[in-house]
Each structure stands twice: as C-alpha cells, then as structure tokens.
Amino acid sequence: MTIALLSHVDLDAGYPDRFEAAGFTLFFATTPEQRASLDPQTAQQIRAVLTIGSIGLSASEMDNLPNLQIICAQGVGYEHIDVAAAKQRGIPVTHGPGTNNSSVSDHTLALMLAITRKIPQFDAAVRGGEWKKARWNTPGMAGKRLGIIGMGNIGSLIARRAAGGFDMEIAYHNRRPLQDTPYRYFPDITGLAQWADYLVVATPGGKDTVRLVDANVLSALGPDGFVINIARGSVVDSNALIASLRNHEIAGAALDVVDGEPQVPAEMLTLDNLVITPHVAGRSPESVENMMTLVLSNLTAHFGSKPVMTPVPQ
C-alpha cells in the first residue's frame, strides 16, 4: 500500500523501516517540483498522504490522486489542507496534537533566552577573538511579564515553564477566556502587547490569524519588548517586524518560523537584534517518535476499518 510523504522527516528515526514493517510503502515527494511532476501511474497507487500544515494538500492535488483514502498531518497544524474538499470526497483527515508540545515549549524558552542574553552575538564575538570587547551587560528574564497569543496546549506548557522556572507573570489572549486558569486574560492583542515584556506567538496558522501581529501590536510592545514566534510565519507581519527591529521600536525578536519559508527576507539577515532558527522547534527524537507512532496508529485504524485516533475538528 503506497503512501506519499510530502514533508521532510528525520530518516534516522527509522521512518521507512517502521512503515514497511506495518505494510506501507513510502513514496517521497518532499519538494514542490516532485509534487508537481507526479507520475500518473504512481498517483494511481497512492492511498494515503502524509503532510504538514504549512505544506498541506489542496483540492486539485486530491483530484490527482484518484485512490486517496486518508490524509495525515504529522503535526498539530493542518491549515493548508483543504479539509472541506476532503470531507466532500469522504476522505478523513487526521493530525498530531500533543506530539511535539514539549519540544516546541523548550525551544521557545531557548529562543527567549538567546535573544535576551545575546547568545548568538556572544558566541560569534568569542569565535572572532573579541572576548574582552564583547562582555556586554544584558538583561535577564526572571520576574518579567510574558504575554502569550494562543493559550492552547503549547501555550500552557510555555506558561508553566516561564512561571515555574523564571517567576514570570503570565497573561494571554485567546478568542475567548479559559476557565480555571490562574493567568490574566486580555480580550485584544494590542492590550496584551502593551502589558508584556515578551510576546510569544503560539496561535494556529491559517486565514484567521494572518498578520495578527502587525505594526500596531509591535508599537504597543515597545522598545524594551521582545516578540517570539513559534507558530506560523504568516501570523506576524514580516515587513512591520523588519521596520520595528531596524528602527529599534522593539528590543528584539526570535523566530522559528518565517512567512514564505524556507525563503527568508534579505532584510532580516542583516539585523543583529533578531535570532532565527529553521522551523525546528517541534523537531526532536522524542517528537519524531511521537508523530510516527500516531500516524501509524491512524493509518492502521483507517485501513483496518476502525475510527481514526485524532481526526481534525470538522
């Protein structure tokens, strides 16, 4: 049974062997060119697609896979999968909630510390022989205010780490306030940004959150504030962010995601108050294992005529 894999994975984790052992054959189409030039004979054989939210699967791509029976998003996001089109075709869509929560939360704190304590700049200075010149005073994180946009599972873990490890005061913005939470709720993002020293973006991607963090939000964050995005690049207005950093209207930014990735705006690469990692927050041996196990569970359930484990909300 052939499965098309559209996103890059850690092959050292044994992906092909595990799928072969479960009775599945992986077909790799991990680049736009490979997906666009899919051989019709191969397309006939594909019965499942593994993808991620930022790649997705469109209605027209589904039309090119006449025997497609299930779509699995390996992570929690599925914003570029046409769920409505899949439902119309009777194709279930699954995703991977909870599989990489700890990894993303750890990476978020690492980004916060890296931009606050200028870790990349210190490292580069030492390697360049400037030990004495580079011994700058940098601020700490302890006791500061952390605002989280999107207090879901990952946002909650970030809050727990920041409050427990750094004694940070926590507030958040969701579409509606949560029940039974100790954290302060802000009904609008601008108010949250104005209150916060750190603004972490942990909200889902998709059309409802495009450029949610814009010039007004960044202005409210102010010259001592930091923005950290571990959600989707589309949630932050790249042009507004570049202008804010260049003009020192905010103190700094740390990004694991960039709108239009893997292409990064050239203007970002010259900014010394910006840290960027290549969308790796959710990548760890533990999270890859969790994702692989859940995907296999969903596939095995579906092709065994049982309900899938983690269907996306309809």
Side-chain angles (χ1 to χ4, degrees):
M1 187 179 303
T2 302
I3 298 173
L5 179 63
L6 306 191
S7 60
H8 289 284
V9 297
D10 188 350
L11 296 181
D12 292 338
Y15 238 90
D17 293 343
R18 289 274 295 274
F19 277 81
E20 291 285 349
F24 303 113
T25 300
L26 285 177
F27 173 79
F28 293 88
T30 57
T31 69
E33 293 76 21
Q34 289 172 330
R35 294 191 287 273
S37 60
L38 189 62
D39 178 70
Q41 188 172 356
T42 301
Q44 288 276 346
Q45 300 173 24
I46 292 172
R47 297 177 65 188
V49 164
L50 311 188
T51 185
I52 56 176
S54 58
I55 293 176
L57 195 70
S58 67
S60 60
E61 289 171 325
M62 294 177 206
D63 289 338
N64 291 331
L65 303 172
N67 294 311
L68 181 63
Q69 293 186 31
I70 184 172
I71 303 165
C72 298
Q74 296 170 94
V76 65
Y78 51 90
E79 68 274 13
H80 288 150
I81 298 174
D82 193 330
V83 176
K87 183 178 181 181
Q88 187 177 30
R89 291 160 174 76
I91 301 171
V93 181
T94 70
H95 66 145
T99 53
N100 62 6
N101 290 357
S102 291
S103 179
V104 175
S105 303
D106 289 349
H107 197 81
T108 303
L109 270 293
L111 287 175
M112 291 170 66
L113 284 166
I115 190 61
T116 303
R117 299 291 297 173
K118 297 185 181 296
I119 301 300
Q121 293 91 331
F122 281 133
D123 180 81
V126 171
R127 293 173 188 272
E130 297 183 353
W131 182 287
K132 291 184 178 179
K133 290 182 181 179
R135 299 186 70 207
W136 316 301
N137 285 333
T138 56
M141 278 180 18
K144 299 292 179 64
R145 291 176 167 181
L146 170 60
I148 299 175
I149 302 174
M151 190 62 86
N153 292 332
I154 290 174
S156 297
L157 279 181
I158 294 168
R160 281 169 47 192
R161 283 159 165 73
F166 293 91
D167 297 318
M168 299 184 81
E169 188 177 350
I170 312 294
Y172 72 99
H173 169 79
N174 277 5
R175 283 179 292 183
R176 59 188 65 87
L178 301 174
Q179 301 297 318
D180 301 321
T181 177
Y183 309 128
R184 180 178 175 183
Y185 174 72
F186 279 82
D188 66 277
I189 295 173
T190 303
L192 178 65
Q194 195 167 26
W195 172 89
D197 299 304
Y198 293 84
L199 190 66
V200 167
V201 182
T203 190
K207 59 183 177 60
D208 293 335
T209 58
V210 172
R211 290 185 288 280
L212 204 61
V213 177
D214 58 14
N216 290 332
V217 172
L218 295 170
S219 178
L221 185 59
D224 297 320
F226 298 91
V227 63
I228 294 87
N229 187 7
I230 48 81
R232 289 289 187 261
S234 58
V235 183
V236 176
D237 185 325
S238 293
N239 291 332
L241 178 63
I242 291 167
S244 294
L245 291 168
R246 183 184 292 143
N247 298 326
H248 299 283
E249 294 167 357
I250 62 173
L255 310 175
D256 185 54
V257 288
V258 177
D259 199 13
E261 61 186 54
Q263 301 301 316
V264 179
E267 299 90 336
M268 284 187 175
L269 301 178
T270 63
L271 297 168
D272 62 2
N273 53 353
L274 174 65
V275 172
I276 307 178
T277 56
H279 204 154
V280 293
R283 292 181 62 84
S284 68
E286 297 85 358
S287 62
V288 170
E289 173 63 24
N290 292 341
M291 285 189 288
M292 188 180 350
T293 299
L294 184 55
V295 165
L296 281 169
S297 295
N298 277 314
L299 290 171
T300 302
H302 174 73
F303 289 112
S305 300
K306 297 178 181 178
V308 295
M309 310 290 290
T310 53
V312 303
Q314 293 290 333

